Amino acid sequence: MAQESPKNSAAEIPVTSNGEVDDSREHGFNRDLKHSLPSGLGLSETQITSHGFDNTKEGVIEAGAFQGSPAPPLPSVMSPSRVAASRLAQQGSDLIVPAGGQRTQTKSGPVILADEIKNPAMEKLELVRKWSLNTYKCTRQIISERLGRGSRTVDLELEAQIDILRDNKKKYENILKLAQTLSTQLFQMVHTQRQLGDAFADLSLKSLELHEEFGYNADTQKLLAKNGETLLGAINFFIASVNTLVNKTIEDTLMTVKQYESARIEYDAYRTDLEELNLGPRDANTLPKIEQSQHLFQAHKEKYDKMRNDVSVKLKFLEENKVKVLHNQLVLFHNAIAAYFAGNQKQLEQTLKQFHIKLKTPGVDAPSWLEEQ
């Protein structure tokens, strides 16, 4: 930056409007400078350089050796330029003048507006805090309901359908268990009949006196074993269908019911909190809490309504699917059992074809994909 020179006409350098030095006053400047220099210092020993604004080099005064009396040093004269003017303007923008008049310089640079840095640990801590608060409220609601102190929201029609579904699931599980027991016992009987038929056939070949009797019994046991295998295939198909209905379809609906009950407990818990706040005083401290509680209550109410609609739709589709599946399976089970114990082999085989049941022949592996094509 240029230093301030003493108030002298020689220190003033007029500049025209286009940024160039006024040449008309340059001769006057040199004349005044001659009078201000000591008598011992001639102009031959002094070189004065003056440039306009279009030159980036600053003006320099060079003085040679002087043998006369010492004189106070004169400040160097600098001619303004575009670079210097831009620097002065930039530095002037960085100066802040407080009320006391003292200037302080601040750093200039681009201003970056960054969002608040999120700390992962703080986010996890906030999630744990919300989960703990929600768990506390739900636990308090459950205890209040069991003690008979709290109120609960009840949909009578939907609750009745859920109770019927749970009761039917228990009954279907009992039927499934009994059918599996029957299948196991029938498998053992068929295996025993097959072994007995082989034993009769062996004795028929070795005993000439009882050849026919052993042969009849061998054929009967083998026929019973064959029909038993057919019945066993029908029972296993019945078990697989009922197992899918009970442990997959009904279980999926009951999982939705559990989510509905959890949403109902949360809804009642936040409803109770809102009612307690509304009964209390309303001031500057409680109003924000009431607004927050109202917001949370509305969010859980929407969740509860959504889960209730989901349960209603799933119960409706489950009932339709259950009737269709059980109708076919019960007809299959009845026809197969009746044909087996009536000894009607053709009817038993026709029943399996009606329900597209293929029996796996013992000791025969399934055909490869090449044979199927």
Side-chain angles (χ1 to χ4, degrees):
M1 295 178 58
Q3 299 178 356
E4 296 182 359
S5 59
K7 293 183 179 180
N8 195 334
S9 61
E12 297 179 357
I13 304 177
V15 181
T16 60
S17 60
N18 59 357
E20 296 181 356
V21 182
D22 191 359
D23 295 335
S24 62
R25 300 189 62 183
E26 185 175 357
H27 300 287
F29 169 74
N30 293 333
R31 184 178 61 253
D32 296 337
L33 184 61
K34 289 180 181 181
H35 294 289
S36 62
L37 290 176
S39 59
L41 183 60
L43 290 176
S44 60
E45 298 176 355
T46 305
Q47 182 182 356
I48 301 175
T49 305
S50 177
H51 303 280
F53 283 140
D54 56 347
N55 197 337
T56 58
K57 295 183 180 181
E58 299 176 349
V60 180
I61 297 178
E62 297 179 0
F66 176 61
Q67 302 297 332
S69 60
L74 294 175
S76 59
V77 180
M78 301 170 58
S79 63
S81 62
R82 288 198 180 108
V83 177
S86 62
R87 290 179 181 177
L88 290 174
Q90 183 177 2
Q91 292 177 358
S93 63
D94 295 340
L95 295 177
I96 300 177
V97 181
Q102 185 178 1
R103 293 187 177 183
T104 57
Q105 186 174 359
T106 59
K107 295 182 179 180
S108 62
V111 179
I112 301 176
L113 298 177
D115 297 336
E116 184 181 357
I117 300 177
K118 297 182 179 180
N119 191 353
M122 296 301 296
E123 291 181 355
K124 292 181 179 179
L125 185 61
E126 182 66 18
L127 291 176
V128 172
R129 188 189 68 83
K130 292 181 179 180
W131 175 84
S132 302
L133 183 60
N134 185 72
T135 304
Y136 164 73
K137 291 183 178 181
C138 294
T139 305
R140 185 183 62 178
Q141 177 67 24
I142 293 173
I143 295 175
S144 299
E145 291 178 1
R146 292 184 178 180
L147 295 178
R149 298 177 180 176
S151 61
R152 64 188 300 264
T153 304
V154 180
D155 190 335
L156 296 178
E157 183 180 358
L158 188 61
E159 292 290 339
Q161 294 178 2
I162 293 174
D163 292 339
I164 293 174
L165 175 62
R166 287 173 173 165
D167 185 62
N168 288 339
K169 183 175 184 291
K170 293 180 180 179
K171 294 178 179 179
Y172 295 154
E173 286 176 344
N174 186 38
I175 291 176
L176 183 62
K177 182 179 179 181
L178 294 175
Q180 290 173 345
T181 303
L182 178 62
S183 175
T184 302
Q185 294 174 351
L186 182 61
F187 175 80
Q188 295 294 334
M189 186 181 71
V190 169
H191 181 68
T192 303
Q193 287 174 343
R194 189 182 299 109
Q195 289 181 340
L196 189 58
D198 293 340
F200 283 149
D202 184 60
L203 289 174
S204 174
L205 296 176
K206 295 180 180 180
S207 178
L208 299 178
E209 297 83 0
L210 301 174
H211 172 72
E212 294 183 358
E213 290 78 1
F214 280 123
Y216 295 152
N217 284 277
D219 294 340
T220 302
Q221 294 299 322
K222 289 180 180 180
L223 180 61
L224 290 174
K226 182 179 180 181
N227 292 339
E229 290 175 355
T230 306
L231 177 62
L232 187 62
I235 293 176
N236 289 336
F237 185 78
F238 172 81
I239 291 173
S241 300
V242 175
N243 181 65
T244 302
L245 176 65
V246 173
N247 294 324
K248 291 186 178 181
T249 309
I250 296 180
E251 187 64 27
D252 178 70
T253 305
L254 289 178
M255 288 296 296
T256 307
V257 170
K258 291 180 180 179
Q259 296 176 0
Y260 157 74
E261 292 176 347
S262 299
R264 197 272 309 165
I265 293 174
E266 291 179 354
Y267 165 71
D268 286 337
Y270 284 93
R271 176 182 57 81
T272 303
D273 283 349
L274 181 60
E275 292 175 354
E276 292 176 355
L277 289 174
N278 287 330
L279 293 176
R282 291 176 174 267
D283 52 15
N285 295 329
T286 58
L287 284 178
K289 295 181 180 179
I290 293 175
E291 293 179 359
Q292 184 181 8
S293 181
Q294 180 69 31
H295 175 72
L296 294 174
F297 165 75
Q298 189 65 28
H300 285 87
K301 184 178 183 299
E302 294 176 358
K303 180 181 178 181
Y304 166 73
D305 293 337
K306 179 180 180 300
M307 293 306 303
R308 181 176 58 183
N309 294 333
D310 291 347
V311 171
S312 299
V313 171
K314 281 200 171 185
L315 287 175
K316 180 180 178 180
F317 283 108
L318 175 63
E319 187 66 23
E320 296 175 356
N321 188 27
K322 180 191 70 175
V323 172
K324 181 179 179 181
V325 171
L326 287 181
H327 171 75
N328 295 332
Q329 297 305 317
L330 290 174
V331 170
L332 166 66
F333 191 81
H334 172 267
N335 294 341
I337 293 292
Y340 173 79
F341 285 100
N344 193 344
Q345 182 181 2
K346 292 183 179 180
Q347 181 65 29
L348 184 59
E349 293 177 352
Q350 185 65 28
T351 301
L352 267 66
K353 290 180 180 180
Q354 179 182 355
F355 292 93
H356 307 285
I357 301 175
K358 295 182 180 180
L359 296 178
K360 182 179 179 181
T361 305
V364 179
D365 298 332
S368 62
W369 62 276
L370 289 174
E371 295 175 351
E372 291 178 353
Q373 296 187 7

